[in-house]
């Protein structure tokens, strides 16, 4: 019998670092090698759409070279003992999916999708590169299905509902630098225990019982998941 406790796993780029995917704000991170204003704003898309397509085509191509790490697999493994596990991720890679997690909310979009630049509801799969001239079913140019800085976060309400319902909350590999995503931490019911896995953990001031595991995801998440399952099965 699976535990009915609701588990939310909130992840950032650090979750995928052990798979070889660059984070944003670590040394040599993506935002050290690219200006956000050039690749991740609506103005960048209007000014130089090809440059934006090139940036995301390169990140999408990298997905074919990387695999989920032990941390992704441990997160997916929670579902063997917990009936309700929701992954709320800031990541746009597909590594949680490929590790086997079944409920994933992508707050900042997905590399494996593209969308009409005219209508954000028109979303299509994007396995390979997207080019200027590629159009969606509505005839408009396709753009990355990525939430650019300054754009709405359509999945936020759905994530908020999951966070407010959580009985256990894991935070893995995020600098908590970007809102509204980072603000989700302050929406957890105050009695809910929180675990933070990050080799360089952000300072978190929440009323919740907080356990910080200063390890990388691949090393720190598997034993945490074993412990959470043990507590549930042994009571
Ligand atoms: N395991 C776990 N965490 C790690 C690892 C690792 N191996 N390596 C680094 N980290 C941690 C860093 O210490 C840092 O806290 O991952 C975090 C990465 O932070 P960011 O690069 O800021 O990534 P993230 O928090 O996901 O950024 C949030 O910003 O640019 C936007 O949309 C983008 O979704 C992204 C958002």
């Amino acid at each position: 019998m699976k535990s009915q406790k609701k588990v939310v796993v909130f992840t950032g780029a650090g979750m995928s670092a052990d798979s070889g995917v660059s984070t944003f704000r670590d040394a040599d991170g993506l935002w050290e090698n690219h200006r956000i204003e050039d690749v991740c704003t609506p103005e960048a898309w209007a000014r130089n759409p090809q440059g934006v397509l090139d940036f995301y085509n390169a990140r999408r191509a990298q997905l074919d070279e990387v695999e989920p790490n032990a941390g992704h697999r441990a997160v997916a493994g929670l579902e063997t003992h917990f009936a309700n596990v929701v992954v709320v991720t800031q990541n746009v890679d597909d590594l949680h999916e490929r590790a086997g997690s079944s409920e994933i909310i992508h707050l900042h979009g997905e590399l494996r999708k593209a969308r009409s630049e005219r209508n954000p509801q028109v979303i299509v799969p994007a396995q390979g590169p997207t080019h200027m001239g590629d159009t969606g079913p509505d005839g408009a140019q396709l753009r990355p299905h990525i939430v650019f800085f300054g754009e709405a976060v359509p999945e936020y309400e759905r994530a908020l509902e999951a966070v407010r319902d959580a009985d256990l909350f894991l935070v893995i590999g995020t600098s908590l630098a970007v809102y509204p995503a980072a603000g989700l931490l302050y929406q957890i019911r105050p009695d809910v225990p929180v675990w933070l896995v990050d080799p360089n953990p952000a300072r978190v001031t929440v009323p919740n019982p907080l356990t910080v595991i200063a390890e990388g995801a691949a090393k720190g998440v598997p034993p945490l998941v074993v412990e959470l399952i043990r507590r549930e099965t042994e009571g």
Side-chain angles (χ1 to χ4, degrees), residues 10-19 21-26 29-31 36 40 56 59 69 89-92 107-108 146-149 172-179 181 196-202 213 215-221:
F10 180 58
T11 68
M15 180 84 239
S16 301
D18 292 325
S19 298
V21 180
S22 299
T23 63
F24 292 95
R25 296 174 181 82
D26 287 316
L30 277 171
W31 297 147
I36 290 175
C40 194
Y56 286 99
R59 291 182 64 199
N69 62 61
T89 188
Q90 299 169 90
N91 299 340
V92 294
L107 285 171
H108 294 159
I146 298 291
V147 176
F148 293 151
F149 281 88
I172 306 169
T174 176
S175 62
L176 297 170
V178 171
Y179 285 75
L196 171 61
V197 181
D198 191 314
N200 178 21
I213 300 167
E215 297 276 8
K219 189 159 181 289
V221 177

Side-chain angles (χ1 to χ4, degrees), residues 41-140:
T41 63
E43 295 74 19
W45 176 252
R47 184 177 63 246
N48 177 16
Q50 186 62 58
V52 174
L53 289 178
D54 292 346
F55 177 70
Y56 286 99
N57 285 342
R59 291 182 64 199
R60 186 179 305 115
Q62 187 197 23
L63 289 185
D64 298 332
E65 319 294 325
V66 298
E67 296 291 330
N69 62 61
H72 292 104
R73 290 196 296 274
V75 167
L78 281 164
E79 297 181 26
T80 57
H81 288 77
F82 292 92
N84 307 286
V85 180
V86 178
V87 176
V88 175
T89 188
Q90 299 169 90
N91 299 340
V92 294
D93 62 50
D94 58 351
L95 295 175
H96 279 302
E97 285 84 350
R98 288 163 56 190
S101 286
S102 51
E103 185 161 357
I104 303 164
I105 299 174
H106 282 276
L107 285 171
H108 294 159
E110 298 176 64
L111 282 172
R112 292 271 193 221
K113 292 179 182 169
R115 72 172 192 232
S116 156
E117 69 170 344
R118 185 188 307 150
N119 177 351
Q121 312 299 329
V122 174
I123 300 168
V124 298
Q127 290 307 327
T130 307
H131 305 101
M132 292 310 290
D134 290 351
T135 56
D138 64 348

